């Protein structure tokens, strides 16, 4: 291990996701295990610019592995996008005798980390934490599994009402640029149709499919819609279109929104966060930097930041075919 690194900071940035606390816990306790000091940075890059630091030890992170959100708080920082803001951040790190940093977040977080590394050659390792699962180079991100389970549980409850009143429910889930949540939760919850930004199925096909479902004897239907789907300007417009062209159902809309980000992390997310947190510290102590720790085929993978932010994680479109087959 590289003994030059003694003080490691950790922060969460961007949108919160279940399992971030578990990742912080793993980073802090790994630091203790390897006789390093850990420092928490409140409110992501904005807290870094303002020097909002706190010393952390093994007891500081007790009883948080099961907590959603992030106790270090999170924020988006416009100031960090400026050269002056990043200079303030660097000065605070040096004044705090911090040797390296672990950042937990998504593509925006990693983009900032990569720029900061290029300017100051400061050792940074990233951990992917976002419910959207839209980071290249890792099969799963922290929070994605929990969000899936939250969505499936919500749709299960909505279906009870749909069945009771012969209704068609459009359920909007998060995923501005990625349909992972919609596709997997849709299959898991038995949705009749799944609309995602990666595949434009078209309004006419949707109407034909719903009409066919009605003719086959279905008295209610669930359509899962990713918020980034392009069939309509928004889910309310899509609902109006269905009402105008299909009178077989009473159409209702449910937007799950930020409900999907909250809640206690699943066991999978807790284990994933723990694995990535430990490896992030070990990578820094081995002299590695400017990369993300992810998981590929259930094995830990080291992915350069540039690759992690180069594009979206590839969606398994085979699942769409499966969804079509089993939704008849």
């Amino acid at each position: 291990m590289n003994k030059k690194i003694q003080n490691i900071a950790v922060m969460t940035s961007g949108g919160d996701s279940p399992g971030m606390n578990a990742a912080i816990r793993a980073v802090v306790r790994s630091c203790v295990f390897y006789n390093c000091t850990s420092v928490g940075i409140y409110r992501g890059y904005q807290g870094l610019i303002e020097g909002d630091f706190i010393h952390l030890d093994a007891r500081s992170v007790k009883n948080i592995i099961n907590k959603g959100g992030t106790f270090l708080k999170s924020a988006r920082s416009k100031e960090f996008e400026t050269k002056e803001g990043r200079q303030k951040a660097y000065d605070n790190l040096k004044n705090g005798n911090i040797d390296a940093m672990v950042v937990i977040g998504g593509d925006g977080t990693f983009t900032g980390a990569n720029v900061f590394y290029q300017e100051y050659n400061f050792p940074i390792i990233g951990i992917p934490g976002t419910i959207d699962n839209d980071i290249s180079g890792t099969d799963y991100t922290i929070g994605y599994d929990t969000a899936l389970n939250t969505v499936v549980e919500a749709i299960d409850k909505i279906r009870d009402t749909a069945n009771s009143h012969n209704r068609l429910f459009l359920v909007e889930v998060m995923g501005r640029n990625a349909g992972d949540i919609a596709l997997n939760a849709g299959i898991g919850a038995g949705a009749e149709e799944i609309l995602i930004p990666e595949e434009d199925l078209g309004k006419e096909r949707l109407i034909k499919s719903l009409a066919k479902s009605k003719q086959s004897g279905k008295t209610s239907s669930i359509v899962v819609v990713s918020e980034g789907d392009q069939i309509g300007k928004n889910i309310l417009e899509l609902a109006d279109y269905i009402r105008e062209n299909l009178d077989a159902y009473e159409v209702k809309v449910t937007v799950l929104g930020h409900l999907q980000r909250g809640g206690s992390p699943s066991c999978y997310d807790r284990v994933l966060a723990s694995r990535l947190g430990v490896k992030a510290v070990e990578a820094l102590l081995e002299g590695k930097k400017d990369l993300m720790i992810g998981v590929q085929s259930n094995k830990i993978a080291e992915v350069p930041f540039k690759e992690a932010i180069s594009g979206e994680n590839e969606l398994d479109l085979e699942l769409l075919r499966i969804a079509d087959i089993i939704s008849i």
Side-chain angles (χ1 to χ4, degrees):
M1 296 290 184
N2 187 344
K3 295 300 182 182
K4 291 183 180 179
I5 291 181
Q6 292 294 325
N7 302 311
I8 298 176
V10 58
M11 73 173 184
T12 50
S13 176
D16 64 289
S17 62
M20 280 185 164
N21 279 327
I24 296 168
R25 174 181 181 270
V27 169
V28 172
R29 293 193 171 181
S30 296
C31 286
V32 173
F33 182 85
Y34 287 113
N35 297 315
C36 296
T37 298
S38 59
V39 175
I41 301 172
Y42 282 116
R43 297 176 295 113
Y45 288 123
Q46 192 58 39
L48 181 57
I49 290 172
E50 297 174 7
D52 196 0
F53 300 167
I54 181 175
H55 174 75
L56 297 174
D57 57 26
R59 301 286 73 79
S60 301
V61 292
K62 68 179 181 179
N63 299 327
I64 67 169
I65 193 171
N66 62 318
K67 304 295 185 182
T70 162
F71 89 94
L72 287 179
K73 311 297 182 183
S74 187
R76 291 180 170 87
S77 174
K78 289 293 185 182
E79 190 175 359
F80 191 78
E81 296 177 10
T82 67
K83 177 72 175 178
E84 295 75 16
R86 293 191 295 274
Q87 183 64 57
K88 290 179 184 177
Y90 179 74
D91 291 342
N92 285 332
L93 288 170
K94 301 315 292 182
N95 292 336
N97 295 315
I98 295 172
D99 305 312
M101 187 163 55
V102 175
V103 296
I104 307 167
D107 56 354
T109 300
F110 295 163
T111 298
N114 179 245
V115 171
F116 193 75
Y117 168 76
Q118 297 297 329
E119 291 179 343
Y120 298 104
N121 194 33
F122 191 85
I124 306 178
I125 297 292
I127 295 175
T130 167
I131 68 167
D132 290 336
N133 202 45
D134 59 351
I135 303 296
S136 293
T138 184
D139 294 338
Y140 299 105
T141 58
I142 295 169
Y144 172 61
D145 183 71
T146 305
L148 280 182
N149 285 293
T150 298
V151 171
V152 168
E153 182 179 358
I155 294 175
D156 285 347
K157 293 177 179 179
I158 290 170
R159 188 178 289 281
D160 290 342
T161 293
N163 288 336
S164 298
H165 297 276
N166 294 344
R167 288 172 177 169
L168 165 63
F169 270 87
L170 303 183
V171 182
E172 183 182 272
V173 301
M174 283 186 168
R176 190 166 50 248
N177 300 309
D180 291 73
I181 293 177
L183 182 53
N184 285 274
I187 292 175
E192 279 66 36
E193 284 292 336
I194 302 168
L195 307 181
I196 58 175
E198 291 87 347
E199 292 285 310
D200 186 356
L201 300 181
K203 293 180 180 178
E204 291 185 5
R205 180 197 178 283
L206 176 62
I207 294 298
K208 288 180 180 178
S209 174
L210 293 174
K212 183 179 179 181
S213 293
K214 185 68 173 180
Q215 291 168 4
S216 71
K218 288 188 177 181
T219 59
S220 65
S221 287
I222 300 289
V223 177
V224 178
V225 185
S226 177
E227 63 180 326
D229 180 70
Q230 299 300 309
I231 284 185
K233 291 182 180 179
N234 55 58
I235 195 169
L236 297 177
E237 182 189 80
L238 179 59
D240 288 339
Y241 179 83
I242 294 173
R243 292 186 186 104
E244 293 168 1
N245 293 274
L246 183 69
D247 58 6
Y249 296 107
E250 180 184 356
V251 183
K252 296 294 184 180
V253 172
T254 298
V255 178
L256 295 184
H258 288 82
L259 170 73
Q260 298 157 85
R261 278 191 183 172
S264 180
S266 66
C267 179
Y268 182 88
D269 275 329
R270 298 183 199 191
V271 173
L272 177 63
S274 299
R275 293 175 68 191
L276 301 185
V278 170
K279 186 57 183 179
V281 171
E282 292 178 342
L284 285 172
L285 297 178
E286 290 166 1
K288 297 173 182 177
K289 48 195 173 182
D290 195 37
L291 56 83
M292 173 193 77
I293 303 298
V295 60
Q296 298 174 5
S297 300
N298 204 33
K299 302 292 184 183
I300 294 294
E302 298 175 352
V303 182
F305 276 140
K306 285 187 177 180
E307 180 180 335
I309 61 180
S310 64
E312 300 164 4
N313 202 12
E314 185 175 349
L315 188 70
D316 184 4
L317 295 180
E318 167 69 5
L319 290 177
L320 270 181
R321 189 181 71 85
I322 292 172
D324 283 340
I325 292 173
I326 62 179
S327 65
I328 60 173

